[in-house]
């Protein structure tokens, strides 16, 4: 981890020296701020509200979402399937879901509705 951090800092300093500090802000910091905020919304759904035990059928959620989102995220919305069988290639997770869906405790039809329900539950 220290080596990775050192290499990252060295590359950032080099880019800053070659292209200027503004390039770092425009092409690294700003995309990180925007991308990480969106990624947190995606990642938050994977385990929140699931059991905290070692049961892969109950401690992870599968999100049924659009083909575009599955493509963008390499089929990771089939998250329970991924945790249960991490050796299955990403492009076969949909097939795994077809076999496992009746045994999964947490399957939700979409990210926006999940977040809406979660916020509603927090207010109650």
């Amino acid at each position: 981890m220290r080596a990775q951090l050192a290499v990252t800092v060295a590359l950032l300093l080099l880019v800053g020296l070659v292209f200027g500090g503004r390039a770092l802000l425009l092409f690294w910091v700003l995309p990180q701020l925007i991308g990480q905020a969106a990624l947190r919304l995606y990642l938050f759904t994977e385990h929140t509200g699931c059991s905290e035990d070692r049961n892969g059928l109950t401690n992870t959620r599968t999100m049924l979402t659009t083909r575009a989102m599955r493509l963008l995220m390499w089929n990771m919305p089939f998250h329970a399937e991924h945790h249960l069988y991490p050796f299955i290639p990403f492009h076969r997770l949909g097939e795994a879901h077809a076999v496992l869906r009746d045994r999964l405790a947490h399957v939700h039809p979409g990210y926006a509705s999940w977040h809406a329900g979660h916020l509603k539950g927090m207010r109650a």
Side-chain angles (χ1 to χ4, degrees):
M1 289 301 294
R2 289 182 188 141
Q4 183 178 6
L5 178 61
V7 169
T8 301
V9 170
L11 286 173
L12 290 173
L13 287 173
L14 180 64
V15 168
L17 289 172
V18 173
F19 298 105
R22 189 172 180 181
L24 280 177
L25 290 174
L26 186 59
F27 297 112
W28 189 72
V29 174
L30 184 62
Q32 284 289 329
L33 291 173
I34 294 168
Q36 285 297 326
L39 187 59
R40 291 299 130 213
L41 291 173
Y42 169 82
L43 294 174
F44 194 62
T45 63
E46 293 176 347
H47 299 278
T48 303
C50 297
S51 68
E52 295 184 14
D53 56 17
R54 297 177 61 112
N55 184 346
L57 297 171
T58 62
N59 69 7
T60 308
R61 176 176 291 103
T62 285
M63 300 298 285
L64 303 178
T65 186
T66 64
R67 180 178 284 166
M69 182 64 122
R70 288 193 311 267
L71 178 65
L72 180 66
M73 302 310 287
W74 289 42
N75 269 347
M76 283 302 115
F78 294 119
H79 202 66
E81 297 81 355
H82 164 69
H83 273 272
L84 286 165
Y85 302 102
F87 53 83
I88 294 177
F90 73 94
H91 57 89
R92 306 280 309 267
L93 288 172
E95 295 171 46
H97 175 72
V99 172
L100 294 167
R101 69 177 153 226
D102 294 333
R103 299 183 62 209
L104 300 175
H106 302 284
V107 178
H108 201 276
Y111 291 96
S113 66
W114 185 90
H115 282 285
H118 185 71
L119 286 172
K120 186 177 180 181
M122 289 175 62
R123 290 186 192 126

